[in-house]
Amino acid sequence: MLAIASADDVIELVHTARDTDAALYPEGGATALDYGLPARKPGYSVELAGLNQVIDYPWRDMTITVEAGITMQSLAAILAEQRQRLPIDAPFAEQATLGGLIATNYSGARRFGFGTLRDYVIGISAVDGNAKLFKGGGRVVKNVAGYDMCKLLVGSLGTLGIITQVTLKVRPLPEASALLVARPVNLAAAEKLLAALNTSLATPVAVELLYGNQFGDEWRFIVGFEGSAAEVAWQIETLQAEWPREALAEELAVIDQLEQQPGAWQELTDFSLPAGDVPLVVKFSVRPSQVCTLLDKLRTFDDQAAFQAHAGNGIVIAQFRQIPAVGACKFLLQQLQPAAHACGGYAHVWSAATADDFTRPAWWGGVRGEMVYMERVKQQFDPQRLLNPGRFIYEND
């Protein structure tokens, strides 16, 4: 492992890799090392946690420029001093880095109300496979010159450039934050609660449907609200009055995130990425109207599986604990991906204990038409295929 302390270190390292044809594997907080196919080409792990300085924080402009190795917990603490925040959920925030989150484009429960990292990265600096430092965007919100490199790098898994510095736009901390927790009598009842949100006057920032042994193998429907104290209280009261009582197995519970259970949002975020040994974790993206149909189908494959659905966005993260005898890859191809297609979406692997058995199309949910253009972009940024080779979707790695 090679520790990095500056962008110049990254440039020098890429020069060395070009001369020796060694692969480079960027690493932030090491919380998502299982995301992506296993590395097969020998090379170096590039430790980026040393890039953790605040470059500029004009808080009145509600932007901040930091190095990419800063942890999400440290970033949150710095912003909180000015009553501001980046409203993106980060699992294991004390360890996860901003650069790692951008590379994987991770988003959690608040995605429903606040969007994803692509909505907040307004400037970015990175070193490509030609050992060139390039920049996209800027340090001000209104910046429309040139190509939007920021959006290109978000979710690229470190295959187009090693991110060194990021400028973010931020938002004010809410005065109040609360979760309304329901225990529906069954999945059909949960679907009624979800449908009721379509006509509700309430405007939640998170709509979550969870199932697992943590809840006694029962469903939990959790709706998050943030804003002024009066606004949050009114929305909770409104939704409590609107929801059909026959769909609920017990009275609704309200968790005041700021007073009763400060870690409630973080627990909700960490739920999707289990720390223990789970043989297969798959992320589904389907039509929001098909979330309950998909969950009902997935339960027939594994009665010990746990699920977290960002139901308002049509995203389901499934933790499978019982893998059929055919193996995880064939299970994915023969059962899980057809189930996703039937619901108008697709599925790709988040982590797998037997990752070596997977093909690239199986892992990433099939080969789609846009791959041709992605290959051309990769060729421009990293012609020698030095950056994270073999782990992402490219055929020629």
Side-chain angles (χ1 to χ4, degrees), residues 284-336:
F284 299 81
S285 297
V286 299
R287 290 194 294 266
S289 61
Q290 294 294 302
V291 164
C292 291
T293 301
L294 176 66
L295 287 168
D296 194 33
K297 182 68 175 178
L298 296 181
R299 284 188 63 201
T300 65
F301 298 143
D302 179 4
D303 59 8
Q304 295 183 18
F307 305 105
Q308 179 172 25
H310 306 318
N313 295 105
I315 294 173
V316 175
I317 299 172
Q319 306 168 20
F320 294 102
R321 290 177 167 79
Q322 293 181 320
I323 305 300
V326 295
C329 186
K330 287 187 177 179
F331 177 43
L332 182 76
L333 292 171
Q334 296 174 357
Q335 304 285 355
L336 302 183

Coordinates of all heavy atoms in Angstrom, one line a residue, residues 284-336:
F284 N -31.1 -3.5 -6.5 CA -32.1 -3.5 -7.6 C -32.5 -2.0 -7.8 O -32.8 -1.3 -6.8 CB -33.3 -4.3 -7.2 CG -33.0 -5.8 -7.0 CD1 -32.5 -6.2 -5.8 CD2 -33.3 -6.7 -8.0 CE1 -32.3 -7.6 -5.6 CE2 -33.0 -8.1 -7.8 CZ -32.5 -8.5 -6.6
S285 N -32.7 -1.6 -9.1 CA -33.3 -0.4 -9.4 C -34.5 -0.6 -10.3 O -34.4 -1.1 -11.4 CB -32.3 0.5 -10.1 OG -31.2 0.8 -9.3
V286 N -35.7 -0.4 -9.8 CA -36.9 -0.7 -10.5 C -37.9 0.5 -10.4 O -37.6 1.5 -9.8 CB -37.6 -2.0 -9.9 CG1 -36.7 -3.2 -10.0 CG2 -38.1 -1.7 -8.5
R287 N -39.0 0.4 -11.1 CA -40.0 1.4 -11.0 C -40.5 1.5 -9.5 O -40.8 0.5 -9.0 CB -41.2 1.2 -11.9 CG -40.8 1.4 -13.4 CD -42.1 1.4 -14.3 NE -42.8 0.2 -14.2 CZ -42.7 -0.8 -15.1 NH1 -41.8 -0.6 -16.1 NH2 -43.4 -1.9 -15.1
P288 N -40.7 2.7 -9.0 CA -41.2 2.8 -7.6 C -42.5 2.0 -7.3 O -42.7 1.5 -6.3 CB -41.3 4.3 -7.3 CG -40.3 4.9 -8.3 CD -40.3 4.0 -9.5
S289 N -43.3 2.0 -8.3 CA -44.6 1.3 -8.2 C -44.5 -0.2 -8.1 O -45.4 -0.9 -7.7 CB -45.5 1.7 -9.4 OG -45.0 1.3 -10.6
Q290 N -43.3 -0.7 -8.5 CA -43.1 -2.1 -8.5 C -42.2 -2.6 -7.3 O -41.9 -3.8 -7.2 CB -42.3 -2.5 -9.8 CG -43.2 -2.3 -11.0 CD -44.4 -3.2 -11.1 OE1 -44.2 -4.4 -11.0 NE2 -45.6 -2.6 -11.1
V291 N -41.9 -1.7 -6.3 CA -41.1 -2.1 -5.2 C -41.6 -3.3 -4.4 O -41.0 -4.3 -4.1 CB -40.8 -0.9 -4.3 CG1 -40.2 -1.4 -3.0 CG2 -39.8 0.0 -5.0
C292 N -42.9 -3.2 -4.0 CA -43.5 -4.3 -3.2 C -43.7 -5.6 -4.0 O -43.5 -6.7 -3.5 CB -44.9 -3.8 -2.7 SG -44.7 -2.5 -1.4
T293 N -44.0 -5.5 -5.3 CA -44.0 -6.7 -6.2 C -42.7 -7.4 -6.2 O -42.6 -8.6 -6.1 CB -44.5 -6.3 -7.6 OG1 -45.7 -5.6 -7.5 CG2 -44.5 -7.5 -8.5
L294 N -41.6 -6.6 -6.3 CA -40.3 -7.2 -6.3 C -39.9 -7.8 -5.0 O -39.4 -8.9 -4.9 CB -39.2 -6.1 -6.7 CG -37.8 -6.6 -6.7 CD1 -37.5 -7.6 -7.8 CD2 -36.8 -5.4 -6.8
L295 N -40.2 -7.1 -3.9 CA -39.9 -7.7 -2.6 C -40.7 -9.0 -2.3 O -40.1 -9.9 -1.8 CB -40.3 -6.6 -1.5 CG -39.4 -5.4 -1.4 CD1 -40.0 -4.3 -0.5 CD2 -38.0 -5.8 -0.9
D296 N -41.9 -9.0 -2.8 CA -42.7 -10.2 -2.6 C -42.1 -11.4 -3.4 O -42.0 -12.5 -2.9 CB -44.1 -10.0 -3.1 CG -45.1 -11.1 -2.7 OD1 -44.9 -11.6 -1.6 OD2 -46.0 -11.4 -3.4
K297 N -41.6 -11.1 -4.6 CA -40.9 -12.2 -5.3 C -39.6 -12.6 -4.7 O -39.3 -13.8 -4.6 CB -40.6 -11.6 -6.8 CG -40.0 -12.6 -7.7 CD -40.9 -13.8 -8.0 CE -40.3 -14.7 -9.1 NZ -41.2 -15.8 -9.4
L298 N -38.8 -11.6 -4.2 CA -37.5 -11.9 -3.7 C -37.6 -12.8 -2.4 O -36.7 -13.6 -2.1 CB -36.7 -10.6 -3.4 CG -36.4 -9.7 -4.6 CD1 -35.6 -8.5 -4.1 CD2 -35.6 -10.5 -5.6
R299 N -38.6 -12.6 -1.7 CA -38.8 -13.4 -0.4 C -39.0 -14.8 -0.7 O -38.7 -15.7 0.1 CB -40.0 -12.9 0.4 CG -39.7 -11.6 1.1 CD -40.8 -11.2 2.0 NE -41.0 -12.2 3.1 CZ -42.1 -12.4 3.8 NH1 -43.2 -11.7 3.5 NH2 -42.2 -13.4 4.7
T300 N -39.5 -15.2 -1.9 CA -39.7 -16.6 -2.3 C -38.3 -17.3 -2.6 O -38.2 -18.5 -2.5 CB -40.6 -16.7 -3.5 OG1 -39.9 -16.2 -4.7 CG2 -41.9 -16.0 -3.3
F301 N -37.3 -16.5 -2.8 CA -36.0 -17.1 -3.1 C -35.2 -17.4 -1.8 O -34.3 -18.3 -1.8 CB -35.1 -16.1 -3.9 CG -35.7 -15.8 -5.3 CD1 -35.6 -14.5 -5.8 CD2 -36.4 -16.8 -6.0 CE1 -36.2 -14.2 -7.0 CE2 -36.9 -16.5 -7.3 CZ -36.8 -15.2 -7.8
D302 N -35.4 -16.6 -0.8 CA -34.6 -16.8 0.5 C -35.4 -16.3 1.7 O -35.6 -15.1 1.8 CB -33.3 -16.0 0.3 CG -32.4 -16.2 1.6 OD1 -32.8 -16.9 2.5 OD2 -31.4 -15.5 1.6
D303 N -35.9 -17.2 2.5 CA -36.8 -16.7 3.6 C -35.9 -16.1 4.8 O -36.5 -15.7 5.8 CB -37.7 -17.8 4.1 CG -36.9 -19.1 4.6 OD1 -35.7 -19.0 4.7 OD2 -37.6 -20.1 4.9
Q304 N -34.6 -16.2 4.6 CA -33.7 -15.6 5.7 C -33.1 -14.2 5.2 O -32.3 -13.6 5.9 CB -32.6 -16.5 6.1 CG -33.1 -17.8 6.7 CD -32.0 -18.7 7.2 OE1 -30.8 -18.2 7.3 NE2 -32.3 -19.9 7.4
A305 N -33.5 -13.8 4.0 CA -32.9 -12.6 3.5 C -33.4 -11.3 4.2 O -34.5 -11.4 4.8 CB -33.3 -12.4 2.0
A306 N -32.6 -10.3 4.2 CA -33.0 -9.0 4.7 C -33.1 -8.0 3.6 O -32.3 -8.1 2.6 CB -32.0 -8.5 5.8
F307 N -34.0 -7.0 3.7 CA -34.2 -6.1 2.6 C -34.3 -4.6 3.2 O -34.8 -4.4 4.3 CB -35.5 -6.3 1.9 CG -35.7 -7.7 1.4 CD1 -36.5 -8.7 2.0 CD2 -34.9 -8.1 0.3 CE1 -36.6 -10.0 1.5 CE2 -35.0 -9.4 -0.2 CZ -35.8 -10.4 0.4
Q308 N -33.7 -3.7 2.4 CA -34.0 -2.3 2.7 C -34.4 -1.7 1.3 O -33.6 -1.7 0.4 CB -32.7 -1.6 3.2 CG -33.0 -0.1 3.4 CD -31.9 0.6 4.1 OE1 -30.7 0.2 4.1 NE2 -32.2 1.7 4.8
A309 N -35.5 -1.1 1.3 CA -36.0 -0.4 0.1 C -36.1 1.1 0.3 O -36.7 1.5 1.2 CB -37.4 -1.0 -0.3
H310 N -35.4 1.8 -0.6 CA -35.6 3.3 -0.6 C -36.8 3.4 -1.5 O -36.7 3.6 -2.8 CB -34.4 4.0 -1.2 CG -33.1 3.7 -0.5 ND1 -33.0 3.6 0.9 CD2 -31.9 3.4 -1.0 CE1 -31.8 3.3 1.2 NE2 -31.0 3.2 0.1
A311 N -38.0 3.1 -0.9 CA -39.2 2.8 -1.7 C -39.6 4.0 -2.6 O -40.1 3.7 -3.7 CB -40.3 2.4 -0.8
G312 N -39.4 5.2 -2.2 CA -39.8 6.3 -3.0 C -39.0 6.5 -4.3 O -39.4 7.1 -5.3
N313 N -37.8 5.9 -4.3 CA -36.9 5.9 -5.4 C -36.8 4.6 -6.3 O -36.1 4.6 -7.3 CB -35.4 6.3 -5.0 CG -35.3 7.6 -4.4 OD1 -35.2 7.8 -3.1 ND2 -35.4 8.7 -5.2
G314 N -37.5 3.6 -5.8 CA -37.5 2.3 -6.5 C -36.2 1.5 -6.4 O -35.8 0.7 -7.2
I315 N -35.5 1.7 -5.3 CA -34.2 1.0 -5.0 C -34.4 0.0 -3.9 O -34.9 0.4 -2.8 CB -33.1 2.0 -4.7 CG1 -32.8 2.9 -5.9 CG2 -31.8 1.3 -4.2 CD1 -31.8 4.0 -5.6
V316 N -33.9 -1.2 -4.2 CA -34.0 -2.3 -3.2 C -32.6 -2.9 -3.0 O -32.0 -3.3 -4.0 CB -35.0 -3.4 -3.6 CG1 -35.0 -4.5 -2.6 CG2 -36.4 -2.8 -3.7
I317 N -32.2 -2.9 -1.7 CA -30.9 -3.6 -1.4 C -31.3 -4.9 -0.7 O -31.9 -4.8 0.4 CB -30.0 -2.7 -0.6 CG1 -29.7 -1.4 -1.4 CG2 -28.7 -3.4 -0.2 CD1 -29.0 -0.4 -0.7
A318 N -30.9 -6.0 -1.2 CA -31.2 -7.3 -0.7 C -30.0 -8.0 -0.2 O -29.0 -8.1 -0.9 CB -32.0 -8.1 -1.8
Q319 N -30.1 -8.5 1.0 CA -29.0 -9.3 1.6 C -29.4 -10.8 1.6 O -30.2 -11.1 2.5 CB -28.7 -8.8 3.0 CG -28.4 -7.3 3.1 CD -28.4 -6.8 4.6 OE1 -28.2 -7.6 5.5 NE2 -28.5 -5.5 4.8
F320 N -28.9 -11.6 0.7 CA -29.2 -13.0 0.6 C -28.3 -13.8 1.5 O -27.1 -13.7 1.4 CB -29.2 -13.5 -0.8 CG -30.2 -12.8 -1.7 CD1 -29.9 -11.8 -2.5 CD2 -31.6 -13.2 -1.6 CE1 -30.8 -11.1 -3.3 CE2 -32.5 -12.6 -2.4 CZ -32.2 -11.5 -3.3
R321 N -28.9 -14.7 2.3 CA -28.1 -15.5 3.2 C -28.1 -17.0 2.8 O -27.3 -17.8 3.2 CB -28.6 -15.4 4.7 CG -28.2 -14.0 5.2 CD -28.7 -13.8 6.6 NE -28.1 -12.6 7.3 CZ -28.5 -11.4 7.0 NH1 -29.5 -11.1 6.2 NH2 -27.9 -10.3 7.6
Q322 N -29.1 -17.3 2.0 CA -29.2 -18.7 1.5 C -29.0 -18.7 0.0 O -29.8 -18.2 -0.8 CB -30.5 -19.3 1.8 CG -30.7 -19.5 3.3 CD -32.1 -20.2 3.6 OE1 -33.1 -19.8 3.0 NE2 -32.1 -21.1 4.6
I323 N -27.9 -19.2 -0.5 CA -27.6 -19.3 -1.9 C -27.9 -20.6 -2.5 O -27.5 -21.7 -1.9 CB -26.1 -18.9 -2.2 CG1 -25.7 -17.6 -1.6 CG2 -25.8 -18.9 -3.7 CD1 -26.5 -16.4 -2.0
P324 N -28.7 -20.7 -3.6 CA -29.0 -22.1 -4.2 C -27.8 -22.8 -4.6 O -26.7 -22.2 -4.8 CB -29.9 -21.7 -5.4 CG -30.4 -20.3 -5.1 CD -29.3 -19.6 -4.3
A325 N -27.9 -24.1 -4.8 CA -26.8 -25.0 -5.1 C -26.1 -24.6 -6.5 O -25.0 -24.9 -6.7 CB -27.3 -26.5 -5.2
V326 N -26.9 -24.0 -7.3 CA -26.3 -23.6 -8.6 C -25.2 -22.5 -8.5 O -24.5 -22.3 -9.4 CB -27.4 -23.0 -9.6 CG1 -28.4 -24.1 -9.9 CG2 -28.1 -21.8 -9.0
G327 N -25.1 -21.9 -7.3 CA -24.1 -20.8 -7.1 C -24.7 -19.4 -7.3 O -25.8 -19.2 -7.9
A328 N -24.0 -18.5 -6.7 CA -24.5 -17.1 -6.7 C -24.6 -16.5 -8.0 O -25.6 -15.7 -8.3 CB -23.6 -16.2 -5.8
C329 N -23.7 -16.7 -9.0 CA -23.8 -16.1 -10.3 C -25.0 -16.6 -11.1 O -25.7 -15.8 -11.6 CB -22.5 -16.4 -11.0 SG -22.4 -15.5 -12.6
K330 N -25.2 -17.9 -11.1 CA -26.4 -18.4 -11.8 C -27.7 -18.0 -11.1 O -28.7 -17.8 -11.8 CB -26.3 -19.9 -11.9 CG -25.3 -20.4 -12.9 CD -25.3 -21.9 -13.1 CE -24.3 -22.3 -14.2 NZ -24.3 -23.8 -14.4
F331 N -27.6 -17.9 -9.8 CA -28.8 -17.4 -9.0 C -29.2 -16.0 -9.5 O -30.3 -15.7 -9.7 CB -28.5 -17.4 -7.5 CG -29.5 -16.9 -6.6 CD1 -30.9 -17.2 -6.8 CD2 -29.2 -16.1 -5.5 CE1 -31.8 -16.7 -5.9 CE2 -30.1 -15.6 -4.7 CZ -31.5 -15.9 -4.9
L332 N -28.1 -15.2 -9.7 CA -28.3 -13.8 -10.1 C -28.9 -13.8 -11.6 O -29.9 -13.1 -11.9 CB -27.0 -13.1 -10.1 CG -27.1 -11.6 -10.5 CD1 -27.7 -10.7 -9.4 CD2 -25.7 -11.1 -10.8
L333 N -28.3 -14.6 -12.4 CA -28.7 -14.6 -13.9 C -30.0 -15.2 -14.1 O -30.8 -14.7 -14.9 CB -27.6 -15.3 -14.7 CG -26.2 -14.6 -14.8 CD1 -25.2 -15.5 -15.4 CD2 -26.4 -13.3 -15.6
Q334 N -30.3 -16.3 -13.4 CA -31.5 -17.1 -13.7 C -32.7 -16.6 -12.9 O -33.9 -16.8 -13.3 CB -31.3 -18.6 -13.4 CG -30.2 -19.2 -14.3 CD -29.8 -20.6 -13.9 OE1 -30.3 -21.1 -12.9 NE2 -29.0 -21.2 -14.6
Q335 N -32.5 -16.0 -11.7 CA -33.6 -15.6 -10.8 C -33.7 -14.1 -10.6 O -34.8 -13.5 -10.8 CB -33.5 -16.4 -9.5 CG -33.4 -17.9 -9.6 CD -34.8 -18.5 -9.9 OE1 -35.8 -17.9 -10.0 NE2 -34.7 -19.8 -10.2
L336 N -32.6 -13.5 -10.1 CA -32.7 -12.2 -9.6 C -32.8 -11.1 -10.8 O -33.7 -10.2 -10.7 CB -31.5 -11.8 -8.8 CG -31.3 -12.8 -7.6 CD1 -30.1 -12.3 -6.7 CD2 -32.5 -12.8 -6.7

